Amino acid sequence: MVHTSKDGRPTLEAVAARAGVSRATVSRVVNGGAGVRGEVRERVRRAVADLGYVPNSAARSLVTRRTGAVAVVIAEPEARIFADPFFGRQLRGISRELSAADVQLLLLLQETRADCERVGRYLSAGHADGVLMFSLHRDDPLPAMAEASGLPTVYGGRPGWTGPGHAPPPLYVDTDNRDGARQAVRHLRARGRRRIAVITGPLDQTSAQDRLDGYRDALAPAVPDPRLIADGGFTARGGERAMAELLAAAPDLDGVFVCSDLMASGALRTLRAHGRRVPRDVGVVGYDDLDPAAWTDPPLTTVRQDVEEMGRLMARLLLRRLAADGPRPDAAGEEPSPVVTAATLVVRESG
């Protein structure tokens, strides 16, 4: 007799009968347990395939104490997340890595204080095995909530806190933002630009602060004119507005380093509206090298960071930590550590 559930699906008992083993043996094989001979394990797997058995996720969680899911938390408004290709590219990298490991992705968005409290409650309730968290701002309560939940966490971007109060040290994946900014500004200087402005992102994010620091490095020993610095908020409209502010404050500028391609697209529109030719009058360099960078008019010189690969690396770090069942060396005997990827200048026509 084939055992089936109320909805007609084969049960664990059905697999056991088909394979000629006990229910406990089937459970060990299905849940990845040890202590089952290879020949017996293969019989169970064939029975699972023949019957089309699908493990009960709730029952599996009771055995493994795992949900098979990872929460991805983005600390930005929905409007920005769905307008900026950066987030889609990073999520694609994360999703592909998690899918390959048969782990589900749970997307949680945090825009308001109420959202933050909701996300914190969700993480503490045990709905996920770990957390991937990015686009954090300074003093964001989410890292403390993740820490309080006890869930392994990997950050996208260098966290704004690294002090001894956080043990173990935070795991993160970032690009070398400061060096990328230095490359951008040095390129503009090598092209003869002498009044170089910068459009930053929000300076309560480490990526924006690092890029501003790289801009200052490249101009040293000169001290940047404060009139040549404007915040574009990492949005296209913010780039338009910041570029207009810069032209009003410093009409003689002849170069601008824009700290994201999305802001650069807005800056290019403003320059065109003000009759400034790019690159003849003003050289422009962006940051990210996402697909739209090659579609702007003119095509954008920019700093490339491999956003999709950074997403993969975030997921890979978290999976390693989960496999180690905590902040211990993994199977290879190595302690997972932060990853910083290289930034590379891509020269096109804008600067």
Side-chain angles (χ1 to χ4, degrees):
M1 180 180 68
V2 175
H3 301 273
T4 59
S5 61
K6 291 181 179 179
D7 59 5
R9 292 181 299 174
T11 64
L12 208 64
E13 288 80 5
V15 177
R18 181 68 168 252
V21 299
S22 70
R23 186 184 187 281
T25 297
V26 175
S27 180
R28 284 200 297 274
V29 173
V30 169
N31 293 307
V36 181
R37 297 195 314 274
E39 180 269 331
V40 174
R41 187 179 295 275
E42 185 56 34
R43 286 210 322 266
V44 172
R45 286 173 176 166
R46 282 200 303 269
V48 166
D50 291 345
L51 294 175
Y53 171 73
V54 178
N56 182 295
S57 59
R60 173 181 279 184
S61 294
L62 289 173
V63 174
T64 64
R65 297 184 181 179
R66 290 288 174 86
T67 66
V70 162
V72 178
V73 182
I74 308 178
E76 292 291 350
E78 289 182 10
R80 185 182 166 207
I81 292 168
F82 294 113
D84 190 336
F86 175 92
F87 296 105
R89 184 73 66 85
Q90 192 156 39
L91 283 170
R92 183 164 65 180
I94 291 170
S95 177
R96 287 180 173 177
E97 194 71 20
L98 293 181
S99 294
D102 196 24
V103 174
Q104 298 300 313
L105 183 158
L106 304 172
L107 181 60
L108 305 175
L109 307 182
Q110 181 246 317
E111 182 171 358
T112 66
R113 174 64 63 172
D115 291 333
C116 187
E117 293 170 354
R118 171 181 54 82
V119 169
R121 289 194 303 270
Y122 189 89
L123 297 180
S124 296
H127 297 299
D129 299 325
V131 187
L132 298 171
M133 194 174 290
F134 56 93
S135 207
L136 294 172
H137 296 256
R138 188 181 301 120
D139 300 327
D140 198 311
L142 281 173
M145 289 183 175
E147 185 175 308
S149 74
L151 293 174
T153 303
V154 175
Y155 298 94
R158 178 175 58 82
W161 43 262
T162 55
H166 297 271
L171 269 182
Y172 63 89
V173 175
D174 202 359
T175 190
D176 194 340
N177 289 292
R178 190 162 183 162
D179 182 63
R182 284 194 293 258
Q183 292 180 55
V185 178
R186 286 169 180 166
H187 172 77
L188 288 168
R189 295 191 71 180
R191 293 295 177 94
R193 310 296 176 177
R194 292 294 173 263
R195 288 279 283 168
I196 301 172
V198 61
I199 297 178
T200 76
L203 295 179
D204 64 347
Q205 291 187 289
T206 57
S207 59
Q209 184 61 59
D210 289 346
R211 291 172 199 179
L212 177 59
D213 290 342
Y215 164 81
R216 289 172 169 150
D217 292 344
L219 295 180
V223 177
D225 184 340
R227 294 175 298 173
L228 294 174
I229 301 173
D231 180 359
F234 279 147
T235 68
R237 183 165 294 181
E240 287 184 334
R241 183 190 65 251
M243 191 71 251
E245 292 172 2
L246 290 169
L247 289 172
D252 59 338
L253 66 84
D254 60 0
V256 57
F257 166 48
V258 191
C259 293
S260 80
D261 291 347
L262 199 61
M263 291 193 298
S265 68
L268 288 171
R269 286 195 291 271
T270 295
L271 288 167
R272 189 177 303 113
H274 283 73
R276 301 296 181 94
R277 295 163 296 182
V278 177
R280 182 169 177 177
D281 300 327
V282 180
V284 178
V285 178
Y287 202 110
D288 287 328
D289 195 32
L290 300 173
D291 292 339
W295 307 338
T296 60
D297 182 21
L300 187 65
T301 294
T302 188
V303 177
R304 184 174 191 270
Q305 57 173 340
D306 192 337
V307 178
E308 186 171 336
E309 177 64 12
M310 290 167 68
R312 287 196 189 97
L313 290 170
M314 286 177 64
R316 201 171 299 162
L317 273 181
L318 183 59
L319 290 171
R320 282 178 59 193
R321 177 152 280 184
L322 290 173
D325 196 27
R328 303 194 304 268
D330 62 14
E334 299 175 352
E335 178 77 26
S337 58
V339 176
V340 178
T341 64
T344 308
L345 184 71
V346 178
V347 179
R348 296 193 179 97
E349 299 174 24
S350 68

